[in-house]
Amino acid sequence: MEFTPIERAPGAFQRTVTAEEIRAMARRAFGAGVRVRSAVELGPGSYNSAYRVDVGAERAVILRVAPEPARQFRIERQWMRNEYAGVPYFAVIAPLLPRTLAADFTHAVIGRDYLFQTLLDGVPAPEGLRACPRAEWAPFFQGLGTIARDIHTVRGDRFGPMAGPGFATWGEAVVATLRDTAADLDDVGLDASDVREVAAAAVRHRALLDEITEPRLLHGDLWTANVMMAGGAPVPAITGVFDCDRASWGDPEADWTIFVAGRTRPEQRRAFRETYGPPASTPEAERRALFYQAQHLGAVRLERHRLGRTDDIPASYDEMRDVISRLRTAF
């Protein structure tokens, strides 16, 4: 078996598995007779470890291995199981999703969750977009808008992550996420007082959050990094969507996609909105958006810590100060 892992610095969050572990996982998934010819670790993901594995089938498959349970933050616990539970609800974009071939959450082979999926067609969108003149990117972002809009039409019966915990009200779900984020920041030695202040404000203004009464499907991480596109096509077209592990039920305006769309270049934001639709513009929606921004900024702070991007962490505090200032003014 030819094995090509990614070389990482000591102490890096992602930990590769061994060639023998890959063989054992493949035997568990496809039978004792399977022959693993090669495995190549893929980048640039920052959470699960992913491998392109040749098992002698018509085409290679993807192996994704979750971090050890003890290394997962509260706000990202059991994300792989969360994605597995949520896949049926993404039927609206089923042709774009990888198919799950096998999943093993028993920890009998290794002490981590893992699953095998089909390999999506195309090239990673960041790579494909770099090969296109920026003036030709509009169809890609219009496609993102269409996909996000379709996902957000799916209705649920509770709020919160796909695999739980579930919440009867949206306010409960938002407060729980903010409190878990603060606790995670405490665990890694980062100041969480600003996140706690937002959580306290969310408790005081639960009635505003609870105006959202119909849970909708949220992807949680839909943007360029988790999309495949046709390589060499005259128009940049999306061919696949992956990494739905952050999926949850909530207010569409709280989805990561909406947060990032509001921060991207104006021409890309316009293209996205052409198909997704205009942003919510009521005073109530604008106030709720401040809580959503705080949720995302807290998660970004944790991710920057995990990736060792210490120079970028202070910016999250600057942005959070602005959110808190606007919250105080809004109420």
Side-chain angles (χ1 to χ4, degrees):
M1 168 185 169
E2 182 181 346
F3 181 43
T4 310
I6 293 176
E7 297 289 338
R8 291 189 172 88
F13 176 78
Q14 285 178 298
R15 294 178 177 176
T16 192
V17 296
T18 66
E20 182 51 44
E21 287 172 329
I22 290 176
R23 281 193 287 262
M25 287 185 276
R27 287 193 294 269
R28 179 90 160 188
F30 304 114
V34 69
R35 180 188 172 201
V36 180
R37 298 176 178 176
S38 66
V40 178
E41 189 170 6
L42 305 175
S46 61
Y47 188 71
N48 298 311
S49 298
Y51 305 83
R52 180 184 176 124
V53 183
D54 181 351
V55 293
E58 188 174 315
R59 65 188 306 179
V61 299
I62 297 297
L63 167 64
R64 296 170 62 211
V65 186
E68 297 90 339
R71 293 169 62 79
Q72 299 175 24
F73 293 135
R74 291 170 182 81
I75 63 169
E76 60 193 24
R77 190 161 291 145
Q78 296 188 333
W79 265 355
M80 187 169 286
R81 301 185 189 196
N82 190 66
E83 175 178 324
Y84 188 81
V87 164
Y89 298 98
F90 284 92
V92 68
I93 61 165
L96 296 173
L97 298 177
R99 306 289 182 184
T100 300
L101 302 172
D104 183 359
F105 303 150
T106 66
H107 294 191
V109 177
I110 61 173
R112 300 160 68 175
D113 292 347
Y114 67 90
L115 53 78
F116 287 90
Q117 294 177 319
T118 54
L119 177 66
L120 291 171
D121 291 327
V123 298
E127 174 186 333
L129 289 172
R130 283 195 296 270
C132 293
R134 192 177 295 274
E136 298 176 7
W137 287 10
F140 176 87
F141 288 95
Q142 290 166 346
L144 272 181
T146 298
I147 292 167
R149 182 197 64 206
D150 290 347
I151 290 172
H152 291 164
T153 64
V154 181
R155 295 169 171 82
D157 57 9
R158 59 175 172 76
F159 295 98
M162 308 304 295
F167 299 93
T169 69
W170 180 229
E172 287 179 283
V174 172
V175 170
T177 299
L178 288 166
R179 286 175 172 170
D180 282 348
T181 302
D184 284 334
L185 289 166
D186 286 340
D187 288 346
V188 299
L190 292 174
D191 181 15
S193 58
D194 52 0
V195 179
R196 284 200 171 82
E197 182 172 346
V198 176
V203 172
R204 291 195 302 272
H205 302 292
R206 277 272 301 275
L208 174 71
L209 295 166
D210 288 344
E211 289 178 4
I212 304 301
T213 58
E214 184 176 65
R216 297 295 186 99
L217 180 60
L218 314 183
H219 181 280
D221 203 16
L222 176 65
W223 203 247
T224 56
N226 290 325
V227 168
M228 302 291 285
M229 59 181 283
V235 175
I238 294 172
T239 59
V241 173
F242 57 96
D243 277 7
C244 305
D245 42 16
R246 294 168 171 84
S248 64
W249 298 108
D251 179 1
E253 293 296 318
D255 207 349
W256 172 257
T257 313
I258 303 304
F259 175 71
V260 180
R263 297 159 69 91
T264 194
R265 291 173 176 266
E267 64 274 16
Q268 295 165 16
R269 183 165 58 249
R270 283 194 299 270
F272 174 85
R273 287 292 179 181
E274 283 174 11
T275 52
Y276 181 85
S281 57
T282 67
E284 294 77 12
E286 291 172 357
R287 293 187 188 109
R288 281 190 292 268
L290 295 172
F291 292 106
Y292 306 158
Q293 290 172 35
Q295 284 182 303
H296 294 308
L297 290 171
V300 165
R301 185 181 302 168
L302 281 167
E303 176 128 335
R304 288 173 178 172
H305 170 83
R306 185 173 64 212
L307 297 177
R309 293 170 49 188
T310 53
D311 290 346
D312 296 330
I313 291 175
S316 73
Y317 288 97
D318 295 338
E319 289 192 72
M320 194 75 84
R321 275 193 291 272
D322 178 62
V323 168
I324 290 173
S325 174
R326 287 186 286 151
L327 272 172
R328 291 169 177 166
T329 301
F331 296 101

